[in-house]
Amino acid sequence: MNAFQQARFISSVVRAEDLPPAAGRELVFAGRSNVGKSSAINALANRRRLAFASRTPGRTRSINFFELGGGARLVDLPGYGYAAAPRALRATWEPLITGFLAARRRFAGIVLLTDARRPLVQSDRQFLAWLAPVDAPRLVLLSKADKLSRVEQAQALAHSRAALAKERIEATALLFSSKQEETVAEARALLEQWLAERRA
Ligand code: GDP
């Protein structure tokens, strides 16, 4: 169905009261700042500046909404893990995310990007635990996998799958690099499948 090819930026929201109501099937993207989330969204949509286009100064703490084909949406959550400003982060990030999640009980999918060189650090696991009540299939992408050797990639994948099993989090874990089209295609195919399944 190729929903990603039709991706179009809709809006950037910074205040919980400005959040649009849930409509259609939504794929949520999350991850620590600098993990490669914008690059991943661009790669999945096969566009150079889709996610960066919404990233004007002051908007890095916003939720960015994109329309996909067929009435689906991609929701880009603000990057978390600014160790330098935990209180400021909680003050701006939490009400926005909490407001977003409060209005939604299910998603077509939750995509968590985590750095393949140090996958599923505490803030990632906290985020997944926080989302535990939400009904959605989960995809953990081990980003920047191109920076690892084949052996290291296999270790990162095994480590991540073991960590998810230990925390009793049901999720698919895949190696991902926005620079390696075969990994992008694999993630895209799975997400397109989830969107198709949630059409009913
Ligand atoms: P975001 O803050 O999570 O949206 O991260 P960005 O997409 O802006 O990427 C952060 C940095 O990581 C940038 O310098 C990117 O060029 C780099 N980066 C992103 N994805 C990859 C990847 O798959 N491989 C490599 N080697 N670098 C990447």
Side-chain angles (χ1 to χ4, degrees):
M1 101 183 190
N2 238 341
F4 284 95
Q5 305 284 338
Q6 300 168 53
R8 191 175 67 83
F9 174 68
I10 316 172
S11 64
S12 217
V13 174
V14 287
R15 299 184 315 169
E17 54 268 39
D18 297 330
L19 285 165
R25 294 148 294 136
E26 292 174 322
L27 287 177
V28 178
F29 279 67
R32 281 155 57 89
S33 315
N34 215 35
V35 72
K37 181 156 57 70
S38 303
S39 302
I41 292 170
N42 289 338
L44 287 164
N46 204 13
R47 297 252 283 283
R48 287 171 66 93
R49 295 198 54 81
L50 181 70
F52 297 128
S54 60
R55 225 204 224 181
T56 50
R59 282 189 167 177
T60 49
R61 303 290 173 87
S62 63
I63 299 183
N64 298 316
F65 290 87
F66 301 86
E67 204 174 275
L68 300 176
R73 266 189 198 161
L74 189 159
V75 185
D76 177 16
L77 297 185
Y80 51 81
Y82 283 99
R87 282 187 56 206
L89 177 74
R90 277 202 294 278
T92 58
W93 202 85
E94 275 198 17
L96 184 61
I97 307 297
T98 308
F100 173 69
L101 292 174
R104 286 146 170 92
R105 288 282 165 265
R106 73 199 288 254
F107 296 111
I110 295 169
V111 183
L112 178 83
L113 279 108
T114 184
D115 195 312
R117 293 165 296 178
R118 215 169 142 237
L120 295 172
V121 293
Q122 194 187 8
S123 56
D124 296 327
R125 296 199 308 272
Q126 274 171 355
F127 183 77
L128 285 171
W130 194 31
L131 286 189
V134 179
D135 172 22
R138 285 147 171 82
L139 175 60
V140 173
L141 294 179
L142 307 186
S143 73
K144 308 189 189 183
D146 58 283
K147 296 197 177 206
L148 298 182
S149 69
R150 291 271 167 203
V151 170
E152 290 168 332
Q153 287 181 352
Q155 286 169 344
L157 200 53
H159 166 85
S160 301
R161 287 176 175 160
L164 290 166
K166 186 165 169 248
E167 308 256 339
R168 295 178 199 281
I169 296 166
E170 212 176 298
T172 303
L174 294 176
L175 293 162
F176 185 89
S177 164
S178 53
K179 298 169 191 273
Q180 292 177 333
E181 177 53 30
E182 68 275 16
T183 69
V184 177
E186 187 182 15
R188 189 193 291 121
L190 182 60
L191 295 174
E192 299 258 2
Q193 185 191 320
W194 287 353
L195 285 172
E197 283 167 3
R198 291 268 164 146
R199 188 183 284 278

